[in-house]
Structure formats: structure tokens, C-alpha cells
């Protein structure tokens, strides 16, 4: 299977690789999304400082929704590593 690993060792290796891929790839999207959201909010604040309250609250809601995707990826990685 994996470099000569068979049976229980191969399953353990596959679980470790699957969990690592789940959290690694699942964290890239939210990180990019939150970065873009903060950049956009800073640009908007620079153009219209009077709207800081609305921009800030909208940015925080968007960042929380993007962070939820990373939490889902973490949960899937934990399930792969310990349950399956």
C-alpha cells in the first residue's frame, strides 16, 4: 500500500495523510478569504471613515463565516484521525 506498509500500518498511514490533507487544504480557503475581507475593509475605511461601524461589523460577520469553514475542516480531520 504505502511504501511496503500492509494491514494496520497502511491504514494508520492513510488516516494520517487524510487528516493532514483535510486540515491543510481546508485552512487555505478561509485564510485567503479573511485576508481579502480585511484588505477590503481597510480600503473602504480609507475611502469613507464615517462608515467605520458598518464596515467593521460586516467584516467581522464575514470573517466569522469564513472561519467556520476552517472549523469544519478541523472537525473532519479529527474524525478521520480518531474515528475512522
Amino acid at each position: 500500500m504505502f511504501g511496503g506498509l500492509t494491514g494496520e500500518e497502511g491504514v494508520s498511514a492513510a488516516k494520517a495523510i487524510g487528516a493532514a490533507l483535510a486540515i491543510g487544504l481546508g485552512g487555505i480557503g478561509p485564510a485567503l478569504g479573511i485576508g481579502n475581507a480585511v484588505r477590503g475593509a481597510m480600503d473602504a475605511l480609507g475611502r469613507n471613515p464615517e462608515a467605520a461601524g458598518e464596515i467593521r461589523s460586516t467584516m467581522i460577520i464575514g470573517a466569522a463565516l469564513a472561519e467556520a469553514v476552517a472549523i469544519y475542516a478541523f472537525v473532519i480531520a479529527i474524525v478521520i484521525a480518531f474515528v475512522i
Side-chain angles (χ1 to χ4, degrees), residues 50-78:
E50 293 85 24
E54 288 182 33
I55 293 170
R56 185 180 306 115
S57 62
T58 304
M59 183 200 67
I60 290 172
I61 291 170
L65 292 173
E67 189 66 28
V69 175
I71 293 170
Y72 295 147
F74 177 69
V75 168
I76 294 300
I78 294 296

Side-chain angles (χ1 to χ4, degrees), residues 1-57:
M1 189 179 251
F2 288 99
L5 298 177
T6 58
E8 189 69 31
E9 292 175 343
V11 171
S12 295
K15 285 175 18 177
I17 292 170
L21 286 173
I23 193 62
L25 295 176
I28 291 173
L32 293 174
I34 291 171
N36 285 335
V38 172
R39 182 186 63 187
M42 293 299 108
D43 288 343
L45 286 174
R47 291 190 195 109
N48 189 6
E50 293 85 24
E54 288 182 33
I55 293 170
R56 185 180 306 115
S57 62

